[in-house]
Amino acid sequence: MLGSRRSRRRLTTALAGLGLFVTGAALQVTTTATPAHAATTHRVLFDDGHAEEAGNADWIISTSKPDPLSQDSSPSAETDWTGALSSWGVALQKTGSYSLKTATSALTYGGSSTTDLSNFDTLVLPEPNTLFTTAEKTAIMTFVKNGGGLFMISDHTGADRNNDGEDAVEILNDLMTNNSVDSTDPFGFSIDSLDISSGYPAAISDSTDPVLHGSFGTVTKSLIADGTTATLKPADNSAVKGLVYRSGYSGNTGAFFATSTFGSGRVAFWGDSSPIDDGTGQSGNTLYDGWNDTGATNAALALNATAWLAGEGTSGGGGGGGGTTCTASQLLGNNGFESGNTTWSASSGVITNSSSEAARTGSYKAWLDGYGTATTDTLSQSVSIPSGCTTAALSFYLHVDTAETTTSTAYDTLKVQVLNSSGTVLSTLATYSNLNAAGGYTQRSFSLASYAGQTVTLKFTGVEGSTLQTSFVIDDTALNVS
């Protein structure tokens, strides 16, 4: 289809059409973790919808689901709740700063369920044993991108507890590499296909790291009892950081515990489920008390990481439901289009590296219209603007060229609009046309601060008439908040 476009001279102009769809509840964004404030309630969802109780596994905080408080509303000992993760759950509950729930069905984001991810700050995936569906992977990745915390806990390769042909290594790698939001190594690490029989991986020396030195104590070592590690790829995500390493390893290999960020959210990875096992649970399971292993500090690591993921110590939480804090950041994924047709939703052929139109930087750009026939092209991306942000600056570079010769009639247009979840136009930020053609790229900027606290979709819509092409070429987008 691109080959049918006429050759054109390049002309510049400003384009500002970004549509914003309000797709769900307002979202929270994580900020730098500091010691906990009891007045803040951090909402944590533990997944139990992916065979977390298969075989000898018992990765639940309580047999009462979704609300563990129905088993005991004021637990003082881990045995007050039943499950191999009850020590973890009870420890958080006793602080008075956490609200805990368990999900037993498909994970969603932006829905009406009480366990919808938009209602939580952190999602814990404790050794899932069935693949996430396409919709679930979109929900999880969007949740993190929009400010949620994700705690991924693996086990060794081959730990297929329900004999469905998939283990946690494969399932979590599939989540990171086969999703509709960003499959280009979004977290900056991959999980190794290993079965490491035993060991006490040591923490790095970093007194400033809130996971290693947090409100729940200091981390010195963890425990491997048939587990795995991760390979870090800082070239893909510079935020990835190994905190605990298998003996003899450092740098980018052998990371047993790692953290990273994605969009406005945070991510933690642990290479074994044994450290979170407290040795007690439902009858018939063979459990091991790694939580209280005297050679490690697993409890401090799990709890500090949960606090960091949830944004403990801030005036808001870390994730899905409506934050009041703001971390200075750039929120758009694949903002220069160099990852190709990912993250953005676009008409066929819009995101391209065609040499017929030059990108401003790199090789890829978004090229709307330019066919010389009646065409409508769109480009959009969903993004959350934290409610605590006072600045939300949308910018992009636009190049417009045209074969039209009129100086008075807008035959071809590009609109930038704000829409709600029903498709109703809330605002048209700008409209550009063949009359705006000019040489080179021009940066255009708009304030989206009035949409703080909302999940929005930024949308460009190009409409071309039946004769004489006009090309609207976009590159180097950004949504900077502070």
Side-chain angles (χ1 to χ4, degrees):
M1 193 166 175
L2 286 175
S4 69
R5 293 181 172 180
R6 302 179 185 180
S7 61
R8 16 184 128 46
R9 58 192 176 85
R10 295 192 302 169
L11 304 142
T12 350
T13 180
L15 163 207
L18 283 149
L20 315 150
F21 286 91
V22 180
T23 57
L27 303 180
Q28 292 180 330
V29 173
T30 313
T31 59
T32 304
T34 58
H37 294 322
T40 302
T41 299
H42 304 292
R43 304 158 300 170
V44 182
L45 182 67
F46 287 81
D47 181 47
D48 186 34
H50 298 85
E52 281 91 351
E53 297 179 68
N56 280 324
D58 194 46
W59 311 137
I60 57 174
I61 57 174
S62 169
T63 52
S64 178
K65 309 163 194 174
D67 190 355
L69 295 179
S70 295
Q71 183 173 12
D72 190 316
S73 61
S74 184
S76 58
E78 64 92 4
T79 52
D80 291 337
W81 289 355
T82 304
L85 306 188
S86 62
S87 287
W88 189 353
V90 169
L92 292 174
Q93 183 65 35
K94 288 169 66 177
T95 68
S97 297
Y98 290 81
S99 172
L100 311 177
K101 295 292 188 295
T102 299
T104 58
S105 57
L107 296 169
T108 61
Y109 182 74
S112 59
S113 169
T114 57
T115 57
D116 186 84
L117 289 173
S118 64
N119 298 319
F120 295 90
D121 304 311
T122 300
L123 170 65
V124 180
L125 302 178
E127 195 194 334
N129 253 255
T130 59
L131 286 166
F132 297 103
T133 66
T134 298
E136 286 182 308
K137 288 185 286 188
T138 298
I140 294 168
M141 296 298 292
T142 304
F143 166 72
V144 180
K145 180 183 174 184
N146 288 342
L150 178 63
F151 204 151
M152 300 191 297
I153 300 166
S154 185
D155 202 352
H156 62 88
T157 190
D160 180 7
R161 297 180 183 270
N162 60 342
N163 298 312
D164 69 344
E166 305 290 344
D167 57 40
V169 173
E170 296 165 324
I171 292 162
L172 295 175
N173 277 333
D174 178 71
L175 169 64
M176 295 185 287
T177 62
N178 184 27
N179 69 79
S180 65
V181 177
D182 190 337
S183 293
T184 59
D185 193 24
F187 304 154
F189 66 84
S190 60
I191 304 172
D192 304 323
S193 295
L194 296 174
D195 183 352
I196 305 164
S197 61
S198 62
Y200 284 97
I204 65 170
S205 177
D206 185 349
S207 61
T208 66
D209 190 276
V211 175
L212 299 179
H213 299 271
S215 58
F216 291 97
T218 297
V219 176
T220 57
K221 290 186 177 182
S222 187
L223 164 76
I224 296 181
D226 287 314
T228 189
T229 55
T231 296
L232 311 186
K233 303 171 185 177
D236 294 340
N237 186 331
S238 60
V240 71
K241 180 181 180 181
L243 300 186
V244 179
Y245 283 86
R246 180 185 178 189
S247 179
Y249 290 80
S250 61
N252 295 334
T253 60
F256 184 58
F257 196 104
T259 58
S260 189
T261 64
F262 174 59
S264 299
R266 294 174 171 180
V267 179
F269 160 79
W270 210 339
D272 195 358
S273 53
S274 297
I276 58 171
D277 186 346
D278 64 21
T280 66
Q282 299 175 88
S283 176
N285 291 318
T286 302
L287 301 171
Y288 171 76
D289 190 3
W291 185 265
N292 296 303
D293 191 297
T294 57
T297 48
N298 294 316
L301 183 52
L303 296 168
N304 284 344
T306 309
W308 178 74
L309 290 168
E312 184 176 280
T314 71
S315 58
T324 58
T325 62
C326 183
T327 299
S329 59
Q330 194 289 112
L331 300 183
L332 295 181
N334 191 21
N335 61 309
F337 307 105
E338 294 305 311
S339 296
N341 196 25
T342 64
T343 310
W344 295 89
S345 296
S347 300
S348 176
V350 164
I351 297 177
T352 178
N353 62 352
S354 169
S355 59
S356 296
E357 282 284 359
R360 178 179 175 270
T361 59
S363 301
Y364 282 82
K365 66 276 174 181
W367 181 0
L368 289 81
D369 300 330
Y371 297 97
T373 59
T375 304
T376 298
D377 279 338
T378 61
L379 173 74
S380 63
Q381 182 177 153
S382 176
V383 64
S384 169
I385 303 177
S387 62
C389 294
T390 57
T391 299
L394 169 67
S395 64
F396 54 87
Y397 284 83
L398 175 69
H399 164 64
V400 180
D401 73 40
T402 187
E404 302 283 0
T405 58
T406 179
T407 59
S408 60
T409 304
Y411 290 113
D412 313 308
T413 61
L414 177 69
K415 288 188 177 181
V416 188
Q417 296 175 311
V418 180
L419 298 85
N420 65 16
S421 58
S422 299
T424 302
V425 176
L426 302 177
S427 174
T428 297
L429 300 178
T431 301
Y432 299 93
S433 74
N434 49 282
L435 300 178
N436 299 114
Y441 281 88
T442 298
Q443 187 179 38
R444 302 295 167 172
S445 300
F446 303 87
S447 174
L448 302 185
S450 63
Y451 297 98
Q454 299 184 38
T455 301
V456 298
T457 296
L458 310 179
K459 187 178 182 182
F460 300 87
T461 301
V463 178
E464 187 175 29
S466 59
T467 61
L468 299 179
Q469 74 82 24
T470 298
S471 294
F472 301 99
V473 190
I474 302 162
D475 204 356
D476 297 328
T477 66
L479 179 52
N480 292 302
V481 298
S482 60

